[in-house]
Amino acid sequence: MAQPADLLFSKEHEWVKIDGDVATVGITDYAQNSLGDIVYVELPKVGKKIDQFGNIGVVESVKAVSDLFTPIGGEVIEVNAGLDADPAAVNREPYGAGWLFKVKLADPSQKSNLLSPSDYEAIAVD
Amino acid sequence: MSTLTPDSTQPLIFELGQEGRANRYVEPGKPLDTFLPSSLLRSELPLPDNSELDVVRHFTKLSQRTFGIDLGFYPLGSCTMKYNPRVNDAMASLPQFRDLHPYTPDDMAQGALQVMYELERNLASLFGMAAFSLNPSAGAHAELAALLIAKKYFRDRGEVRRDKVIVPDTAHGTNPASAAMCGFKVISLPSDERGRVSVEEIKKVLGPDTAVCMMTNPNTLGLFEDHIHEITAAVHAAGGLMYYDGANANAIMGNVRPGDMGFDLMHLNLHKTFTIPHGGGGAGHGPIGVAAHLVDYLPTPLVVATPKALGESMGPPSDRLSFALDFDRPKSIGPMRSFWSNFAHAVRALAYIYSNGAEGLTKVSQLAVLNANYVRVKVSEFLEAPYPEICRHEFVVSAQALKKATGVKALDIAKALLDHGMMAPTVYFPLLVPECLMIEPTETESKETLDHFVEVLRGIVQTAQSDPQELFDAPVTTVVGRVDETRAARQPNLRWEAQRG
Amino acid sequence: MYTPHTERDIREMLEAIGVSSLDELLRVPADVALKAELDIVPALPEYQLARRFEHFARKNTGADAISFLGAGAYRHYVPPAIASLAMRGEFLTAYTPYQAEVSQGYLQAIYEWQSYICLLTGMDIANASVYDGATALAEGSIMAINANGRRKLLVSRAVDPNYRAVLGTYCDGLDVEIDEIPVRADGTTDLAALETAVASQAYAAVALQSPNFFGVVDCLSPAARHAVETSGTVPIAVISEALSLAALATPASWGAQIVVGEAQSFGVALAYGGPYVGFIASTEEHMRRIPGRLVGKSVDKEGRPAYVLTLQAREQHIRRERATSNICTNQAHCALIATMYLSLMGKTGLRDVAALNLERSREAATAVSSIDGIDLKFSAPFFNEFVIDVHQDTAPILAALKTRRILGGVDLGRFYPEYATCIVMAATELTTTADIAALVASLQEVVHVHAHAR
């Protein structure tokens, strides 16, 4: 799956889509593939203030657990409640229905700390 | 080809039985509200009543759906699945051991205390430590105790800055987990190209914040850490303590001792080296041993011995002692578990030591190492051995090349072995070796069994090349095939429920 | 000796490896080579070994004394069917069921254990067992700490002192503080003090044991429960006499969210303290925090029902330093024994055994407290243990009973200075009327003697 062109990426294999001052966050196709079948996602609570690159949750698969680091800082305004019943959505559509949470940006300039799709492609290798 | 038995589903015990189908082990009791107000009583007890015959059939069938060492070869690396001698169980089942209450006064429990004392003294000598505590219930439990000892030891010395635990990247998973439970931070040490801990690498991370370095020798690759003395010296020079993970103790008895290698703390897995049955995953027993400067910190209680005033002057020296539990230990980290030890297992372990003596235990390790090297040399003919040198009691091979060529992974090899009436080796550990299989034959297996295993494994690798699908489908002769683990984790069904059934 | 190697085997194997002697395989650097002589017991042929251990066993004169010892380990009838089933080689010598296809028997048995524990406690989830009741309390407390992030625990003084000591050991490692709730005159926990304490919202959990160390039924009142729940404190129920679960209202019914305890009463031998088997159970909310192994039911690739270890990503072997616990081994074989016990006893048998425990303990309590100079210490209802006050130093009393081959109970002064003249005694279905008569007769003598000697 090629990286969608309108996203930015972190070294920890998360993506972020910025729309005004709201950012949607998820994990990349490479990440979901490495983890295997995802069984549970632990997300930060709505209202929580998170720092860029902070450890804010967990993605659990059958064989591994991965810390979730947020690629962008701000206040959590929404989480993907559907993942509770259907964590497999993260495997099926990591850039679509498998989104994780939305953040109201604290500092838009944090974008500059992230990777472009082509830069991310370079590190998303086995 | 499937030879699955027709009734490959075994009903749950809750799906059997009829209310009132009771076994009269005791006489009927009066209604409970005779004794207590009904506000304190439960209204329902939703458990089944099953006849003894149905229960016996149920569990007998379950046992037939379970593979143990008694059925076949069990080369599970890092687990030491050797034969569990029956005499050990017979001794543990003696009524005066089995029925002894832990609060029995010391003078009426002298036999139990003597068993604990003798075991402790024998382990201390065998492994070169000043003393052992039989308190911890398992290896991981003992590790936690060891780190608690280290934490307290440094606190007492005013060295509270020491918060780092150094662990090789080949370490067993419990090592870093135990460290975290004590508030220590883990530094992972990369192994060198020889698969060992590098003296230069460890010196880079040693410092005034070093608390403990946790290692095992031989390591989880089955390789002897030949620079161990330099490593322990370096850690001591930095003011840290050395901890020995005793999981691989089967490789060293009568040959080398952790105390002599410079370790300050160690644990043993009596359910590995000392033949305590694994029983499907426990109960284990994990004594913790320490050097002299740490004895005061051992978990409470310890068994202490004093010479008897008069009496027996014949027989073994320990018969001339009287024993007591010592709870008055102000520097101890405290107890790790509810009573004194997994005593029934202490009986088993001591019986095993009595069966062998020093010479026998030395032979055990020698032949464990012989068996492992024999299998290694043969298996290396068709699977890659990343460390092609003399190993100790276990070795690793990699199926990485096979995977690249045929798609067959270590997991598929493991599943195929199950169809041949053998247990699979450990797979995917240590993480250092891709598509890893860790093989530990143990010393109780005969050459014929080892030869058979090698031939079966060779056949599987050949099948990988000619007909890999056969391996992807394995196992096919077991009561169930590969289980959907994703479904188990995504839709957890962890108990029987009446309505669900 | 259990090594099958003949001289010829060894020769052929050395040749195949390409070395000339075993010593070549076991070379160690000189700086660590073994120099000391090992001080190990001499090897004995099996029949002499048996003699040696029978010699040890005979010295345990307490094993068949008349016993009123309880205090966390209980004497119950164990049907012989259990030993013949549990000691089957497949069960005894199997490893942890990581290869599910060849471990369906054990996995199913543990699934049944998990189910029994849920049915008995009223909880939603139970794990595959932990070492014992004390470590179960420590692990359960860690669950609560992970749930709400608070780093203090509130524990009743009536919880088993050994359990509290083990919790203390674990909390030293975690830098977690433990505060205590006092005990009332009737033997129950001071719930008013509990309510006041939890209101501070400083505690991750509050732990109550029922029946408590004094044998007394000790749970949250509706008011205390409300206070605990609104403060966000996790209520933990501690069970050290598992048989009580067959009779008493479930911990779920009085608000427990985590239930920890000891299942030794379900067929596991006293064995001088171990191995026993602990359990941890919780409401669904805490499922992902439960440590240790869990067996789940799934299907195989052909749709057949199949059991498997699940949610393993939480466990130490995958999470490593992020694990919620370092626990690896469970007590599978003891959990198997407990499952067999519960299956053989069934609902009817458990109820009958519980009733007999209630009856005999009352018989004993009434008989003993009718002796001049001895009172029942606590007035609250009890299960199968009770506390007597002998109003004098307990040591000579217990010593005198010992000479009459009676183990009268555990002296509370050992753990509670405020109860220095008290003894906790247990009576179970195995306690006979003759045992009680012997106890009463002996007590009458010794209490009389010592009272006069003061």
Side-chain angles (χ1 to χ4, degrees):
Chain A
M1 200 186 285
Q3 322 309 335
D6 57 338
L7 304 181
L8 292 171
F9 298 84
S10 73
K11 285 195 280 241
E12 300 293 344
H13 308 288
E14 283 105 8
W15 57 263
V16 54
K17 178 177 173 151
I18 298 183
D19 220 327
D21 68 345
V22 171
T24 306
V25 176
I27 63 168
T28 65
D29 182 51
Y30 172 80
Q32 71 77 19
N33 192 49
S34 311
L35 285 169
D37 290 333
I38 289 170
V39 303
Y40 181 70
V41 185
E42 193 182 285
L43 297 167
K45 288 196 167 59
V46 169
K48 188 169 164 97
K49 298 210 172 36
I50 55 182
D51 298 322
Q52 187 178 36
F53 304 134
N55 183 345
I56 48 84
V58 165
V59 178
E60 223 178 279
S61 74
V62 177
K63 56 169 182 164
V65 169
S66 204
D67 284 320
L68 253 186
F69 300 92
T70 176
I72 203 89
E75 184 184 320
V76 179
I77 54 172
E78 202 185 329
V79 298
N80 187 346
L83 294 182
D84 220 39
D86 183 24
V90 180
N91 293 113
R92 283 193 319 265
E93 290 182 53
Y95 300 110
W99 65 276
L100 298 179
F101 59 92
K102 294 193 171 140
V103 170
K104 186 161 142 99
L105 291 180
D107 173 10
S109 73
Q110 284 180 352
K111 281 194 296 196
S112 58
N113 300 329
L114 298 171
L115 303 168
S116 68
S118 48
D119 287 340
Y120 175 67
E121 205 120 325
I123 64 163
V125 283
D126 273 307
Chain B
M1 76 149 232
S2 172
T3 57
L4 286 150
T5 56
D7 67 311
S8 59
T9 303
Q10 181 62 21
L12 287 164
I13 194 76
F14 309 97
E15 293 162 348
L16 309 171
Q18 291 289 338
E19 171 145 2
R21 184 174 291 162
N23 301 302
R24 292 285 179 208
Y25 296 116
V26 300
E27 67 270 40
K30 299 192 175 113
L32 297 179
D33 59 12
T34 315
F35 310 104
L36 287 169
S38 18
S39 56
L40 295 182
L41 298 172
R42 64 187 298 157
S43 45
E44 272 177 32
L45 185 58
L47 303 186
D49 276 338
N50 276 289
S51 68
E52 186 171 302
L53 174 55
D54 283 343
V55 175
V56 167
R57 283 190 176 144
H58 178 76
F59 286 102
T60 302
K61 286 194 194 153
L62 291 187
S63 81
Q64 291 176 335
R65 295 158 72 87
T66 301
F67 184 89
I69 300 172
D70 278 11
L71 278 173
F73 187 47
Y74 221 118
L76 211 53
S78 159
C79 298
T80 315
M81 300 299 286
K82 61 169 85 178
Y83 173 61
N84 305 141
R86 292 301 121 93
V87 67
N88 299 347
D89 299 318
M91 297 302 99
S93 308
L94 291 172
Q96 298 101 323
F97 287 137
R98 187 195 61 204
D99 299 335
L100 194 67
H101 192 286
Y103 279 122
T104 303
D106 291 342
D107 60 343
M108 295 174 84
Q110 287 293 294
L113 291 167
Q114 186 170 5
V115 164
M116 290 170 70
Y117 173 82
E118 282 200 6
L119 177 62
E120 188 271 319
R121 290 285 86 214
N122 278 266
L123 293 177
S125 173
L126 191 54
F127 297 101
M129 308 306 285
F132 269 86
S133 160
L134 303 181
N135 201 256
S137 296
H141 209 207
E143 261 175 40
L144 180 61
L147 292 173
L148 289 168
I149 288 177
K151 184 167 178 165
K152 189 154 198 216
Y153 172 76
F154 288 125
R155 254 190 196 153
D156 284 355
R157 290 163 68 90
E159 295 177 44
V160 292
R161 268 204 67 196
R162 295 191 180 273
D163 66 347
K164 301 287 188 309
V165 170
I166 301 168
V167 178
D169 58 4
T170 51
H172 194 264
T174 56
N175 294 168
S178 307
M181 283 178 84
C182 295
F184 287 126
K185 298 183 191 64
V186 173
I187 300 181
S188 181
L189 209 60
S191 300
D192 68 14
E193 67 288 345
R194 293 177 65 235
R196 272 99 168 167
V197 170
S198 140
V199 181
E200 292 78 58
E201 280 300 319
I202 197 172
K203 281 182 174 165
K204 285 185 202 163
V205 295
L206 287 172
D209 58 351
T210 302
V212 181
C213 172
M214 303 172 79
M215 281 180 67
T216 185
N217 191 11
N219 62 26
T220 56
L221 297 166
L223 303 169
F224 193 83
E225 295 275 2
D226 31 17
H227 293 288
I228 187 65
H229 205 248
E230 281 174 71
I231 293 168
T232 58
V235 171
H236 288 152
L241 296 171
M242 286 293 305
Y243 171 81
Y244 180 83
D245 180 332
N248 295 326
N250 206 45
I252 62 165
M253 292 190 288
N255 177 240
V256 69
R257 305 190 303 175
D260 298 332
M261 290 191 242
F263 287 93
D264 305 284
L265 305 130
M266 70 171 286
H267 86 265
L268 286 167
N269 301 76
L270 297 188
H271 46 293
K272 294 186 182 186
T273 322
F274 290 86
T275 72
I276 292 179
H278 281 78
H285 197 179
I288 176 176
V290 294
H293 53 288
L294 297 172
V295 173
D296 289 341
Y297 295 94
L298 281 171
T300 292
L302 285 184
V303 177
V304 291
T306 45
K308 281 195 232 186
L310 290 167
E312 306 157 57
S313 55
M314 305 267 293
S318 75
D319 283 1
R320 288 167 240 158
L321 300 169
S322 84
F323 307 96
L325 288 173
D326 179 14
F327 292 93
D328 182 15
R329 309 187 55 251
K331 282 174 127 180
S332 161
I333 56 170
M336 294 297 295
R337 35 82 58 70
S338 54
F339 290 109
W340 331 135
S341 74
N342 277 350
F343 174 74
H345 288 341
V347 174
R348 291 181 167 93
L350 185 63
Y352 181 67
I353 295 176
Y354 266 101
S355 292
N356 282 286
E359 215 179 280
L361 292 175
T362 306
K363 206 102 205 124
V364 161
S365 288
Q366 287 176 344
L367 295 175
V369 172
L370 176 70
N371 276 5
N373 279 285
Y374 179 69
V375 178
R376 173 184 61 82
V377 156
K378 301 223 161 220
V379 170
S380 302
E381 290 169 15
F382 49 86
L383 280 171
E384 190 207 330
Y387 305 98
E389 53 174 294
I390 289 173
C391 64
R392 283 264 166 166
H393 64 314
E394 65 191 5
F395 66 95
V396 300
V397 285
S398 171
Q400 179 78 324
L402 196 67
K403 175 180 166 189
K404 288 207 159 101
T406 67
V408 168
K409 307 196 293 288
L411 181 70
D412 303 310
I413 297 175
K415 298 301 183 189
L417 277 164
L418 303 181
D419 278 329
H420 291 269
M422 285 183 264
M423 180 50 75
T426 303
V427 289
Y428 301 108
F429 178 78
L431 303 166
L432 188 63
V433 174
E435 296 301 325
C436 187
L437 291 114
M438 193 202 303
I439 297 171
E440 181 184 353
T442 84
E443 75 284 0
T444 55
E445 301 295 341
S446 70
K447 184 170 170 297
E448 299 89 82
T449 303
L450 302 181
D451 287 336
H452 177 65
F453 169 71
V454 169
E455 287 325 298
V456 165
L457 200 55
R458 192 194 305 271
I460 290 171
V461 170
Q462 276 161 4
T463 305
Q465 280 139 2
S466 60
D467 182 12
Q469 189 58 43
E470 200 182 301
L471 303 179
F472 300 138
D473 292 337
V476 293
T477 61
T478 50
V479 289
V480 299
R482 296 198 201 186
V483 184
D484 187 344
E485 297 186 33
T486 301
R487 172 175 162 151
R490 283 187 178 155
Q491 301 163 40
N493 171 346
L494 306 172
R495 62 171 169 131
W496 172 83
E497 282 178 272
Q499 62 273 25
R500 189 212 285 141
Chain C
M1 283 284 286
Y2 305 98
T3 50
H5 302 71
T6 62
E7 289 294 325
R8 184 175 138 176
D9 288 335
I10 296 177
R11 229 179 18 250
E12 287 178 6
M13 292 168 80
L14 288 171
E15 206 181 297
I17 296 167
V19 294
S20 52
S21 71
L22 285 171
D23 286 335
E24 266 189 72
L25 298 174
L26 290 141
R27 292 229 168 88
V28 293
D31 56 8
V32 294
L34 180 60
K35 295 177 192 78
E37 186 153 322
L38 295 175
D39 186 13
I40 307 291
V41 292
L44 296 178
E46 205 171 272
Y47 75 103
Q48 286 183 28
L49 184 159
R51 218 184 279 157
R52 180 83 182 127
F53 278 77
E54 277 151 22
H55 168 74
F56 292 140
R58 268 195 302 278
K59 292 198 206 177
N60 292 331
T61 55
D64 54 5
I66 294 174
S67 175
F68 293 87
L69 295 175
Y74 300 94
R75 231 172 41 110
H76 289 298
Y77 178 67
V78 181
I82 293 177
S84 80
L85 289 167
M87 299 306 279
R88 289 180 65 91
E90 301 93 327
F91 283 140
L92 199 61
T93 67
Y95 184 64
T96 309
Y98 288 126
Q99 300 291 355
E101 304 88 338
V102 291
S103 316
Q104 286 300 293
Y106 236 124
L107 287 165
Q108 180 172 339
I110 298 298
Y111 180 86
E112 292 175 354
W113 149 270
Q114 290 170 189
S115 305
Y116 270 123
I117 296 296
C118 289
L119 291 167
L120 286 165
T121 58
M123 294 286 105
D124 301 318
I125 316 278
N127 82 353
S129 74
V130 292
Y131 308 135
D132 56 56
T135 51
L137 174 58
E139 299 280 357
S141 303
I142 292 173
M143 283 171 69
I145 291 168
N146 286 336
N148 55 34
R150 300 176 187 173
R151 298 192 72 82
K152 280 172 81 156
L153 297 169
L154 192 60
V155 180
S156 166
R157 190 168 170 69
V159 168
D160 186 314
N162 282 325
Y163 286 29
R164 284 185 285 126
V166 170
L167 183 62
T169 306
Y170 275 69
C171 285
D172 279 345
L174 297 164
D175 293 317
V176 166
E177 271 175 56
I178 307 173
D179 285 342
E180 205 174 79
I181 320 166
V183 176
R184 288 189 288 222
D186 70 350
T188 61
T189 300
D190 185 342
L191 293 179
L194 188 156
E195 285 177 45
T196 308
V198 297
S200 68
Q201 301 193 10
Y203 298 104
V206 55
L208 250 65
Q209 180 179 324
S210 186
N212 64 23
F213 193 67
F214 313 127
V216 154
V217 178
D218 191 7
C219 36
L220 292 176
S221 63
R225 173 182 179 168
H226 181 74
V228 169
E229 282 170 5
T230 50
S231 69
T233 315
V234 176
I236 300 179
V238 183
I239 311 286
S240 78
E241 171 42 302
L243 180 67
S244 67
L245 291 167
L248 301 179
T250 65
S253 71
W254 53 263
Q257 288 175 22
I258 296 175
V259 182
V260 301
E262 176 60 67
Q264 173 270 323
S265 287
F266 295 151
V268 177
L270 285 169
Y272 201 53
Y276 290 168
V277 52
F279 61 86
I280 300 183
S282 78
T283 56
E284 192 160 334
E285 183 194 336
H286 298 286
M287 177 173 78
R288 302 218 172 244
R289 286 176 211 114
I290 250 191
R293 297 178 179 145
L294 283 172
V295 174
K297 192 169 184 181
S298 179
V299 292
D300 75 352
K301 53 190 178 129
E302 311 219 352
R304 277 182 289 257
Y307 301 92
V308 68
L309 288 177
T310 190
L311 299 184
Q312 286 187 83
R314 310 154 306 113
E315 284 189 72
Q316 52 72 30
H317 68 273
I318 295 178
R319 268 196 187 236
R320 294 173 72 92
E321 62 263 36
R322 288 163 304 192
T324 48
S325 158
N326 73 334
I327 216 164
C328 188
T329 316
N330 60 329
Q331 304 290 92
H333 197 253
C334 295
L336 177 70
I337 285 172
T339 307
M340 291 171 174
Y341 177 90
L342 291 167
S343 302
L344 288 165
M345 284 295 164
K347 163 191 179 145
T348 306
L350 282 172
R351 274 272 157 88
D352 288 338
V353 172
L356 288 172
N357 275 252
L358 287 162
E359 184 169 350
R360 301 279 159 80
S361 55
R362 275 143 188 75
E363 216 182 286
T366 305
V368 164
S369 60
S370 65
I371 297 171
D372 237 353
I374 299 185
D375 300 313
L376 218 50
K377 175 72 178 171
F378 298 120
S379 56
F382 59 90
F383 182 64
N384 63 1
E385 280 185 285
F386 55 93
V387 176
I388 58 169
D389 192 341
V390 297
H391 300 291
Q392 53 183 288
D393 185 5
T394 58
I397 310 275
L398 290 170
L401 286 177
K402 221 171 53 170
T403 63
R404 294 161 172 78
R405 296 193 43 75
I406 300 174
L407 299 172
V410 176
D411 62 315
L412 279 188
R414 178 177 175 160
F415 305 113
Y416 300 89
E418 70 270 34
Y419 304 130
T421 57
C422 295
I423 299 168
V424 60
M425 319 180 59
T428 70
E429 74 279 13
L430 294 180
T431 309
T432 65
T433 305
D435 291 340
I436 297 172
L439 172 71
V440 167
S442 307
L443 273 175
Q444 256 157 355
E445 266 179 57
V446 307
V447 164
H448 184 75
V449 164
H450 289 277
H452 279 249
R454 270 188 304 162

